[in-house]
Amino acid sequence: MADIKSGRLDEARLQQRFAEVYEPLDRHEAHVESDRCYFCYDAPCVTACPTSIDIPLFIREISVGNANGAAKTILDANIMGGMCARVCPTETLCEEVCVREVAEGKPVKIGELQRFATDNLMATTDAHPFTRAAETGKRVAVIGAGPAGLSCAHRLAMHGHDVTIFEALPKPGGLNEFGIAAYKAMDDFAQAEVDFILGIGGIDIEYGKALGNGVSLDTLTADYDATFIGMGLPGTNELGLDGEDADGCIDAVDYIAQLRQSDDLSKLPVGRNVVVIGGGMTAIDIAAQTKLLGAENVTIFYRRGMENMNASQYEQDHAQKHGVTIRQWLQPKALHVTDGAVSGMTFEYTSGTNGSLRGTGETVSVEADQVFKAIGQTPASDLLAAAGITLERGRIAVDANRKTSHVKIWAGGDCVAGGEDLTVVSVEDGKLAAEDIHKMLSA
Ligand SMILES: Cc1cc2nc3c(=O)[nH]c(=O)nc-3n(C[C@H](O)[C@H](O)[C@H](O)COP(=O)(O)OP(=O)(O)OC[C@H]3O[C@@H](n4cnc5c(N)ncnc54)[C@H](O)[C@@H]3O)c2cc1C
Ligand code: SF4
């Protein structure tokens, strides 16, 4: 009988466990940390930031007590600087190349300083830090109110254009709202940030309006001066094993969305023995969060070696610190189902080099009350191909300005080819597309 139940820990304890993961810097700590920066000329941290934030400048602004000036510097390059401060894998971006990391293995805490500055601005002023240019009378349609769509909309609104966002769901934010681990964005931060972004004016969101379901690219390109697609990756991969529809075999992204929308975490059912399949951020997040929810044993199974995982070393360490076990070189072979519910799994050992992977024939079986599939999301390729846009491996092909093969359509974020499936990259895509659309509309 599968041991899945809610209330393994009470609500107060769960709130505390989730909140404790990332404590923000206070004013004094931020000041001390800012003094560690060398304010490098040609700073490598800036080059490593996908949105090219002027990091030494904002850290200097913090060091002289101008936290709101620092926030403005950050938001100028990245309007989601608050969320990115919480979710960016800084250990593989700006902090990895910080000269203090290179010299002494202890980078300046750029992400935490960024959070200090942007939180300070949002807490101390209601006024939006940017003003709109005079209205141009041009109208742009944006599909999806995730990081890419919102970033594009904000920059277009700043240039004086009117933006309508068509969003399939009843709530904005995309994966910032429904995907990012709850402990990274506490206190409804995703919605607060959306409200902040919309504060510029000139942006309308139409909820429950989906491309492919009442909204078509033909209509949008006829009715609007330009269109931006930021619809993310709406599908998920399957294991392809018998029994995948059994109770307890769950898509990790769906469960995380449920977790993110829950107002009482103690009501979420969680297994005693949890198995997670995958090697990326989603696998790490579902594993760490089910452990925080009170699961006894949580094990990630990954088909290659740790060094091949999409999740960084920092994220792997983070999961392990929370009591998650990571087992490598094991691929799913069979799901065990008892009375309609998952009861265990069999994995086959693998070996391989240079991208090739083969099963060795040797297997191992484990008990499981819940099996989470975290093996990747998929694009809406059929929908996009039917609209006549050129795709690359199912995702939208774009040029350096995020323009698609269609003369009036731009795209960015997870739905485009060649990206890195990170919030910060999506924000940059939206910004670059908006600048190119603005250039076209101003010609
Ligand atoms: C579980 C999980 C954890 C993650 N953790 C991190 C992290 O810690 N750090 C990090 O940098 N990145 C993380 N990512 C990746 C990051 O969330 C994405 O790269 C980013 O959200 C992509 O932004 P986007 O705007 O392209 O898409 P999304 O955030 O997916 O937003 C797309 C929007 O389009 C809407 N939409 C979809 N289809 C339609 C349609 N047909 N019509 C209209 N609207 C539509 C969706 O409802 C959604 O609002 C994580 C991803 C997942 C799944
Ligand atoms: S590389 Fe490090 S020390 Fe140099 S400017 Fe960037 S944060 Fe400061």
Side-chain angles (χ1 to χ4, degrees), residues 34 36-46 54-57 59 94-95 97-101 106-110 113:
S34 66
R36 294 187 60 237
C37 180
Y38 293 135
F39 309 115
C40 309
Y41 182 71
D42 272 346
C45 54
V46 179
D54 191 337
I55 293 167
L57 174 60
I59 296 181
C94 53
E95 291 180 16
V97 298
C98 171
V99 294
R100 278 209 177 253
E101 166 66 18
K106 203 166 172 257
V108 175
K109 293 177 183 167
I110 302 168
L113 288 169

PDB file of all heavy atoms in Angstrom, residues 34 36-46 54-57 59 94-95 97-101 106-110 113, ligand 2:
ATOM      1  N   SER A  34      29.747  44.428   0.036  1.00  0.00           N
ATOM      2  CA  SER A  34      30.050  45.303  -1.106  1.00  0.00           C
ATOM      3  C   SER A  34      31.506  45.768  -1.054  1.00  0.00           C
ATOM      4  O   SER A  34      32.130  45.997  -2.097  1.00  0.00           O
ATOM      5  CB  SER A  34      29.096  46.500  -1.145  1.00  0.00           C
ATOM      6  OG  SER A  34      29.314  47.346  -0.033  1.00  0.00           O
ATOM      7  N   ARG A  36      33.975  44.027  -0.439  1.00  0.00           N
ATOM      8  CA  ARG A  36      34.879  42.980  -0.934  1.00  0.00           C
ATOM      9  C   ARG A  36      35.116  43.105  -2.444  1.00  0.00           C
ATOM     10  O   ARG A  36      36.023  42.472  -2.986  1.00  0.00           O
ATOM     11  CB  ARG A  36      34.312  41.593  -0.627  1.00  0.00           C
ATOM     12  CG  ARG A  36      34.250  41.266   0.859  1.00  0.00           C
ATOM     13  CD  ARG A  36      33.837  39.803   1.093  1.00  0.00           C
ATOM     14  NE  ARG A  36      34.767  38.889   0.487  1.00  0.00           N
ATOM     15  CZ  ARG A  36      34.437  37.962  -0.416  1.00  0.00           C
ATOM     16  NH1 ARG A  36      33.201  37.851  -0.807  1.00  0.00           N
ATOM     17  NH2 ARG A  36      35.359  37.168  -0.925  1.00  0.00           N
ATOM     18  N   CYS A  37      34.284  43.902  -3.126  1.00  0.00           N
ATOM     19  CA  CYS A  37      34.407  44.016  -4.595  1.00  0.00           C
ATOM     20  C   CYS A  37      35.623  44.875  -4.947  1.00  0.00           C
ATOM     21  O   CYS A  37      35.874  45.896  -4.314  1.00  0.00           O
ATOM     22  CB  CYS A  37      33.129  44.636  -5.156  1.00  0.00           C
ATOM     23  SG  CYS A  37      33.145  44.824  -6.940  1.00  0.00           S
ATOM     24  N   TYR A  38      36.355  44.463  -5.983  1.00  0.00           N
ATOM     25  CA  TYR A  38      37.517  45.239  -6.454  1.00  0.00           C
ATOM     26  C   TYR A  38      37.108  46.277  -7.503  1.00  0.00           C
ATOM     27  O   TYR A  38      37.960  46.977  -8.024  1.00  0.00           O
ATOM     28  CB  TYR A  38      38.563  44.304  -7.079  1.00  0.00           C
ATOM     29  CG  TYR A  38      39.229  43.357  -6.100  1.00  0.00           C
ATOM     30  CD1 TYR A  38      39.407  42.007  -6.429  1.00  0.00           C
ATOM     31  CD2 TYR A  38      39.714  43.801  -4.869  1.00  0.00           C
ATOM     32  CE1 TYR A  38      40.038  41.129  -5.554  1.00  0.00           C
ATOM     33  CE2 TYR A  38      40.335  42.921  -3.990  1.00  0.00           C
ATOM     34  CZ  TYR A  38      40.486  41.596  -4.331  1.00  0.00           C
ATOM     35  OH  TYR A  38      41.100  40.741  -3.477  1.00  0.00           O
ATOM     36  N   PHE A  39      35.824  46.326  -7.856  1.00  0.00           N
ATOM     37  CA  PHE A  39      35.322  47.251  -8.885  1.00  0.00           C
ATOM     38  C   PHE A  39      36.204  47.177 -10.138  1.00  0.00           C
ATOM     39  O   PHE A  39      36.746  48.165 -10.614  1.00  0.00           O
ATOM     40  CB  PHE A  39      35.254  48.691  -8.340  1.00  0.00           C
ATOM     41  CG  PHE A  39      34.513  48.757  -7.020  1.00  0.00           C
ATOM     42  CD1 PHE A  39      35.158  49.134  -5.855  1.00  0.00           C
ATOM     43  CD2 PHE A  39      33.175  48.403  -6.955  1.00  0.00           C
ATOM     44  CE1 PHE A  39      34.481  49.156  -4.643  1.00  0.00           C
ATOM     45  CE2 PHE A  39      32.490  48.428  -5.740  1.00  0.00           C
ATOM     46  CZ  PHE A  39      33.145  48.807  -4.583  1.00  0.00           C
ATOM     47  N   CYS A  40      36.337  45.954 -10.614  1.00  0.00           N
ATOM     48  CA  CYS A  40      37.271  45.688 -11.723  1.00  0.00           C
ATOM     49  C   CYS A  40      36.908  46.476 -12.987  1.00  0.00           C
ATOM     50  O   CYS A  40      35.726  46.645 -13.312  1.00  0.00           O
ATOM     51  CB  CYS A  40      37.232  44.211 -12.107  1.00  0.00           C
ATOM     52  SG  CYS A  40      37.443  43.089 -10.736  1.00  0.00           S
ATOM     53  N   TYR A  41      37.946  46.907 -13.690  1.00  0.00           N
ATOM     54  CA  TYR A  41      37.776  47.486 -15.018  1.00  0.00           C
ATOM     55  C   TYR A  41      37.604  46.290 -15.959  1.00  0.00           C
ATOM     56  O   TYR A  41      38.249  45.255 -15.762  1.00  0.00           O
ATOM     57  CB  TYR A  41      39.033  48.305 -15.366  1.00  0.00           C
ATOM     58  CG  TYR A  41      38.948  48.991 -16.702  1.00  0.00           C
ATOM     59  CD1 TYR A  41      38.099  50.079 -16.867  1.00  0.00           C
ATOM     60  CD2 TYR A  41      39.703  48.535 -17.782  1.00  0.00           C
ATOM     61  CE1 TYR A  41      38.000  50.706 -18.100  1.00  0.00           C
ATOM     62  CE2 TYR A  41      39.617  49.160 -19.004  1.00  0.00           C
ATOM     63  CZ  TYR A  41      38.763  50.240 -19.159  1.00  0.00           C
ATOM     64  OH  TYR A  41      38.671  50.857 -20.380  1.00  0.00           O
ATOM     65  N   ASP A  42      36.759  46.379 -16.975  1.00  0.00           N
ATOM     66  CA  ASP A  42      36.463  45.229 -17.837  1.00  0.00           C
ATOM     67  C   ASP A  42      36.067  44.018 -17.004  1.00  0.00           C
ATOM     68  O   ASP A  42      36.591  42.906 -17.176  1.00  0.00           O
ATOM     69  CB  ASP A  42      37.691  44.844 -18.690  1.00  0.00           C
ATOM     70  CG  ASP A  42      37.717  45.619 -19.990  1.00  0.00           C
ATOM     71  OD1 ASP A  42      36.682  46.210 -20.331  1.00  0.00           O
ATOM     72  OD2 ASP A  42      38.788  45.632 -20.636  1.00  0.00           O
ATOM     73  N   ALA A  43      35.152  44.231 -16.085  1.00  0.00           N
ATOM     74  CA  ALA A  43      34.826  43.200 -15.094  1.00  0.00           C
ATOM     75  C   ALA A  43      34.288  41.923 -15.749  1.00  0.00           C
ATOM     76  O   ALA A  43      33.333  41.985 -16.519  1.00  0.00           O
ATOM     77  CB  ALA A  43      33.799  43.759 -14.118  1.00  0.00           C
ATOM     78  N   PRO A  44      34.895  40.783 -15.429  1.00  0.00           N
ATOM     79  CA  PRO A  44      34.428  39.526 -16.042  1.00  0.00           C
ATOM     80  C   PRO A  44      33.004  39.162 -15.621  1.00  0.00           C
ATOM     81  O   PRO A  44      32.280  38.505 -16.369  1.00  0.00           O
ATOM     82  CB  PRO A  44      35.426  38.472 -15.526  1.00  0.00           C
ATOM     83  CG  PRO A  44      36.138  39.098 -14.374  1.00  0.00           C
ATOM     84  CD  PRO A  44      36.075  40.577 -14.573  1.00  0.00           C
ATOM     85  N   CYS A  45      32.596  39.630 -14.445  1.00  0.00           N
ATOM     86  CA  CYS A  45      31.242  39.297 -13.984  1.00  0.00           C
ATOM     87  C   CYS A  45      30.187  39.899 -14.910  1.00  0.00           C
ATOM     88  O   CYS A  45      29.131  39.303 -15.123  1.00  0.00           O
ATOM     89  CB  CYS A  45      31.032  39.769 -12.545  1.00  0.00           C
ATOM     90  SG  CYS A  45      31.398  41.516 -12.292  1.00  0.00           S
ATOM     91  N   VAL A  46      30.475  41.077 -15.466  1.00  0.00           N
ATOM     92  CA  VAL A  46      29.506  41.732 -16.359  1.00  0.00           C
ATOM     93  C   VAL A  46      29.360  40.921 -17.646  1.00  0.00           C
ATOM     94  O   VAL A  46      28.255  40.681 -18.135  1.00  0.00           O
ATOM     95  CB  VAL A  46      29.937  43.181 -16.682  1.00  0.00           C
ATOM     96  CG1 VAL A  46      28.950  43.842 -17.628  1.00  0.00           C
ATOM     97  CG2 VAL A  46      30.092  44.002 -15.412  1.00  0.00           C
ATOM     98  N   ASP A  54      25.612  46.157 -15.025  1.00  0.00           N
ATOM     99  CA  ASP A  54      26.877  46.790 -14.623  1.00  0.00           C
ATOM    100  C   ASP A  54      27.101  46.468 -13.135  1.00  0.00           C
ATOM    101  O   ASP A  54      26.763  47.252 -12.242  1.00  0.00           O
ATOM    102  CB  ASP A  54      26.820  48.302 -14.866  1.00  0.00           C
ATOM    103  CG  ASP A  54      28.195  48.941 -14.720  1.00  0.00           C
ATOM    104  OD1 ASP A  54      29.048  48.340 -14.022  1.00  0.00           O
ATOM    105  OD2 ASP A  54      28.417  50.032 -15.274  1.00  0.00           O
ATOM    106  N   ILE A  55      27.666  45.304 -12.895  1.00  0.00           N
ATOM    107  CA  ILE A  55      27.782  44.783 -11.526  1.00  0.00           C
ATOM    108  C   ILE A  55      28.689  45.645 -10.639  1.00  0.00           C
ATOM    109  O   ILE A  55      28.290  46.024  -9.525  1.00  0.00           O
ATOM    110  CB  ILE A  55      28.211  43.292 -11.561  1.00  0.00           C
ATOM    111  CG1 ILE A  55      27.058  42.468 -12.187  1.00  0.00           C
ATOM    112  CG2 ILE A  55      28.561  42.765 -10.163  1.00  0.00           C
ATOM    113  CD1 ILE A  55      27.402  41.055 -12.578  1.00  0.00           C
ATOM    114  N   PRO A  56      29.912  46.005 -11.112  1.00  0.00           N
ATOM    115  CA  PRO A  56      30.738  46.845 -10.224  1.00  0.00           C
ATOM    116  C   PRO A  56      30.059  48.169  -9.884  1.00  0.00           C
ATOM    117  O   PRO A  56      30.189  48.657  -8.748  1.00  0.00           O
ATOM    118  CB  PRO A  56      32.034  47.070 -11.006  1.00  0.00           C
ATOM    119  CG  PRO A  56      31.890  46.398 -12.305  1.00  0.00           C
ATOM    120  CD  PRO A  56      30.638  45.580 -12.321  1.00  0.00           C
ATOM    121  N   LEU A  57      29.310  48.729 -10.836  1.00  0.00           N
ATOM    122  CA  LEU A  57      28.636  50.007 -10.551  1.00  0.00           C
ATOM    123  C   LEU A  57      27.573  49.815  -9.465  1.00  0.00           C
ATOM    124  O   LEU A  57      27.517  50.585  -8.498  1.00  0.00           O
ATOM    125  CB  LEU A  57      28.001  50.579 -11.824  1.00  0.00           C
ATOM    126  CG  LEU A  57      27.147  51.835 -11.616  1.00  0.00           C
ATOM    127  CD1 LEU A  57      27.976  52.981 -11.023  1.00  0.00           C
ATOM    128  CD2 LEU A  57      26.490  52.293 -12.931  1.00  0.00           C
ATOM    129  N   ILE A  59      27.381  47.548  -7.213  1.00  0.00           N
ATOM    130  CA  ILE A  59      27.974  47.208  -5.913  1.00  0.00           C
ATOM    131  C   ILE A  59      28.580  48.471  -5.280  1.00  0.00           C
ATOM    132  O   ILE A  59      28.466  48.703  -4.073  1.00  0.00           O
ATOM    133  CB  ILE A  59      29.017  46.067  -6.048  1.00  0.00           C
ATOM    134  CG1 ILE A  59      28.311  44.782  -6.519  1.00  0.00           C
ATOM    135  CG2 ILE A  59      29.746  45.839  -4.724  1.00  0.00           C
ATOM    136  CD1 ILE A  59      29.199  43.567  -6.667  1.00  0.00           C
ATOM    137  N   CYS A  94      27.945  34.946 -13.128  1.00  0.00           N
ATOM    138  CA  CYS A  94      28.808  36.042 -12.659  1.00  0.00           C
ATOM    139  C   CYS A  94      29.774  35.629 -11.544  1.00  0.00           C
ATOM    140  O   CYS A  94      30.945  36.031 -11.532  1.00  0.00           O
ATOM    141  CB  CYS A  94      27.941  37.207 -12.183  1.00  0.00           C
ATOM    142  SG  CYS A  94      26.688  36.740 -10.971  1.00  0.00           S
ATOM    143  N   GLU A  95      29.288  34.839 -10.584  1.00  0.00           N
ATOM    144  CA  GLU A  95      30.155  34.527  -9.433  1.00  0.00           C
ATOM    145  C   GLU A  95      31.248  33.522  -9.799  1.00  0.00           C
ATOM    146  O   GLU A  95      32.301  33.485  -9.173  1.00  0.00           O
ATOM    147  CB  GLU A  95      29.313  34.027  -8.255  1.00  0.00           C
ATOM    148  CG  GLU A  95      28.450  35.154  -7.683  1.00  0.00           C
ATOM    149  CD  GLU A  95      27.582  34.745  -6.507  1.00  0.00           C
ATOM    150  OE1 GLU A  95      27.830  33.689  -5.904  1.00  0.00           O
ATOM    151  OE2 GLU A  95      26.623  35.504  -6.199  1.00  0.00           O
ATOM    152  N   VAL A  97      33.086  33.618 -12.392  1.00  0.00           N
ATOM    153  CA  VAL A  97      34.234  34.303 -12.993  1.00  0.00           C
ATOM    154  C   VAL A  97      34.716  35.486 -12.146  1.00  0.00           C
ATOM    155  O   VAL A  97      35.679  36.167 -12.524  1.00  0.00           O
ATOM    156  CB  VAL A  97      33.909  34.803 -14.422  1.00  0.00           C
ATOM    157  CG1 VAL A  97      33.579  33.633 -15.329  1.00  0.00           C
ATOM    158  CG2 VAL A  97      32.759  35.799 -14.412  1.00  0.00           C
ATOM    159  N   CYS A  98      34.067  35.754 -11.033  1.00  0.00           N
ATOM    160  CA  CYS A  98      34.490  36.863 -10.161  1.00  0.00           C
ATOM    161  C   CYS A  98      35.971  36.660  -9.800  1.00  0.00           C
ATOM    162  O   CYS A  98      36.382  35.543  -9.455  1.00  0.00           O
ATOM    163  CB  CYS A  98      33.625  36.878  -8.896  1.00  0.00           C
ATOM    164  SG  CYS A  98      34.220  38.035  -7.650  1.00  0.00           S
ATOM    165  N   VAL A  99      36.750  37.735  -9.864  1.00  0.00           N
ATOM    166  CA  VAL A  99      38.193  37.571  -9.634  1.00  0.00           C
ATOM    167  C   VAL A  99      38.465  37.044  -8.213  1.00  0.00           C
ATOM    168  O   VAL A  99      39.476  36.391  -7.976  1.00  0.00           O
ATOM    169  CB  VAL A  99      38.980  38.873  -9.891  1.00  0.00           C
ATOM    170  CG1 VAL A  99      38.928  39.264 -11.354  1.00  0.00           C
ATOM    171  CG2 VAL A  99      38.505  40.014  -9.017  1.00  0.00           C
ATOM    172  N   ARG A 100      37.572  37.323  -7.300  1.00  0.00           N
ATOM    173  CA  ARG A 100      37.761  36.798  -5.943  1.00  0.00           C
ATOM    174  C   ARG A 100      37.520  35.281  -5.894  1.00  0.00           C
ATOM    175  O   ARG A 100      38.124  34.581  -5.079  1.00  0.00           O
ATOM    176  CB  ARG A 100      36.830  37.511  -4.967  1.00  0.00           C
ATOM    177  CG  ARG A 100      37.386  38.862  -4.502  1.00  0.00           C
ATOM    178  CD  ARG A 100      36.855  39.147  -3.109  1.00  0.00           C
ATOM    179  NE  ARG A 100      37.366  40.367  -2.557  1.00  0.00           N
ATOM    180  CZ  ARG A 100      38.268  40.397  -1.584  1.00  0.00           C
ATOM    181  NH1 ARG A 100      38.791  39.298  -1.097  1.00  0.00           N
ATOM    182  NH2 ARG A 100      38.658  41.557  -1.090  1.00  0.00           N
ATOM    183  N   GLU A 101      36.651  34.787  -6.755  1.00  0.00           N
ATOM    184  CA  GLU A 101      36.446  33.334  -6.859  1.00  0.00           C
ATOM    185  C   GLU A 101      37.717  32.704  -7.428  1.00  0.00           C
ATOM    186  O   GLU A 101      38.220  31.700  -6.928  1.00  0.00           O
ATOM    187  CB  GLU A 101      35.235  33.027  -7.753  1.00  0.00           C
ATOM    188  CG  GLU A 101      35.093  31.580  -8.220  1.00  0.00           C
ATOM    189  CD  GLU A 101      34.823  30.594  -7.100  1.00  0.00           C
ATOM    190  OE1 GLU A 101      34.396  31.027  -6.002  1.00  0.00           O
ATOM    191  OE2 GLU A 101      35.070  29.388  -7.319  1.00  0.00           O
ATOM    192  N   LYS A 106      36.294  32.363  -3.173  1.00  0.00           N
ATOM    193  CA  LYS A 106      35.171  32.960  -2.438  1.00  0.00           C
ATOM    194  C   LYS A 106      34.714  34.216  -3.180  1.00  0.00           C
ATOM    195  O   LYS A 106      35.249  35.302  -2.965  1.00  0.00           O
ATOM    196  CB  LYS A 106      35.656  33.317  -1.016  1.00  0.00           C
ATOM    197  CG  LYS A 106      34.535  33.405  -0.024  1.00  0.00           C
ATOM    198  CD  LYS A 106      35.085  33.404   1.409  1.00  0.00           C
ATOM    199  CE  LYS A 106      33.967  33.695   2.382  1.00  0.00           C
ATOM    200  NZ  LYS A 106      33.966  35.036   2.887  1.00  0.00           N
ATOM    201  N   PRO A 107      33.745  34.039  -4.093  1.00  0.00           N
ATOM    202  CA  PRO A 107      33.344  35.199  -4.908  1.00  0.00           C
ATOM    203  C   PRO A 107      32.619  36.234  -4.083  1.00  0.00           C
ATOM    204  O   PRO A 107      32.095  35.935  -3.014  1.00  0.00           O
ATOM    205  CB  PRO A 107      32.367  34.576  -5.913  1.00  0.00           C
ATOM    206  CG  PRO A 107      31.778  33.407  -5.181  1.00  0.00           C
ATOM    207  CD  PRO A 107      32.891  32.865  -4.329  1.00  0.00           C
ATOM    208  N   VAL A 108      32.572  37.464  -4.621  1.00  0.00           N
ATOM    209  CA  VAL A 108      31.665  38.464  -4.058  1.00  0.00           C
ATOM    210  C   VAL A 108      30.251  37.906  -4.233  1.00  0.00           C
ATOM    211  O   VAL A 108      29.932  37.326  -5.268  1.00  0.00           O
ATOM    212  CB  VAL A 108      31.805  39.818  -4.812  1.00  0.00           C
ATOM    213  CG1 VAL A 108      30.783  40.820  -4.299  1.00  0.00           C
ATOM    214  CG2 VAL A 108      33.221  40.356  -4.669  1.00  0.00           C
ATOM    215  N   LYS A 109      29.414  38.074  -3.208  1.00  0.00           N
ATOM    216  CA  LYS A 109      28.060  37.501  -3.279  1.00  0.00           C
ATOM    217  C   LYS A 109      27.173  38.409  -4.137  1.00  0.00           C
ATOM    218  O   LYS A 109      26.334  39.162  -3.634  1.00  0.00           O
ATOM    219  CB  LYS A 109      27.474  37.365  -1.879  1.00  0.00           C
ATOM    220  CG  LYS A 109      28.192  36.339  -1.022  1.00  0.00           C
ATOM    221  CD  LYS A 109      27.603  36.314   0.377  1.00  0.00           C
ATOM    222  CE  LYS A 109      28.368  35.341   1.259  1.00  0.00           C
ATOM    223  NZ  LYS A 109      28.037  35.498   2.679  1.00  0.00           N
ATOM    224  N   ILE A 110      27.380  38.326  -5.447  1.00  0.00           N
ATOM    225  CA  ILE A 110      26.715  39.255  -6.367  1.00  0.00           C
ATOM    226  C   ILE A 110      25.197  39.087  -6.320  1.00  0.00           C
ATOM    227  O   ILE A 110      24.441  40.062  -6.245  1.00  0.00           O
ATOM    228  CB  ILE A 110      27.253  39.054  -7.805  1.00  0.00           C
ATOM    229  CG1 ILE A 110      28.775  39.272  -7.843  1.00  0.00           C
ATOM    230  CG2 ILE A 110      26.544  39.991  -8.790  1.00  0.00           C
ATOM    231  CD1 ILE A 110      29.447  38.827  -9.135  1.00  0.00           C
ATOM    232  N   LEU A 113      23.706  40.524  -3.164  1.00  0.00           N
ATOM    233  CA  LEU A 113      23.732  41.995  -3.183  1.00  0.00           C
ATOM    234  C   LEU A 113      22.658  42.530  -4.126  1.00  0.00           C
ATOM    235  O   LEU A 113      21.998  43.533  -3.831  1.00  0.00           O
ATOM    236  CB  LEU A 113      25.118  42.490  -3.616  1.00  0.00           C
ATOM    237  CG  LEU A 113      26.217  42.300  -2.571  1.00  0.00           C
ATOM    238  CD1 LEU A 113      27.598  42.572  -3.177  1.00  0.00           C
ATOM    239  CD2 LEU A 113      25.991  43.215  -1.362  1.00  0.00           C
TER     240      LEU A 113
HETATM  241  S1  SF4 B   2      34.617  40.317 -10.845  1.00  0.00           S
HETATM  242 FE1  SF4 B   2      34.086  40.254  -8.613  1.00  0.00          FE
HETATM  243  S2  SF4 B   2      35.475  41.747  -7.722  1.00  0.00           S
HETATM  244 FE2  SF4 B   2      35.464  42.210  -9.930  1.00  0.00          FE
HETATM  245  S3  SF4 B   2      33.814  43.728 -10.273  1.00  0.00           S
HETATM  246 FE3  SF4 B   2      32.871  41.710 -10.503  1.00  0.00          FE
HETATM  247  S4  SF4 B   2      32.067  41.248  -8.448  1.00  0.00           S
HETATM  248 FE4  SF4 B   2      33.582  42.888  -8.162  1.00  0.00          FE
END
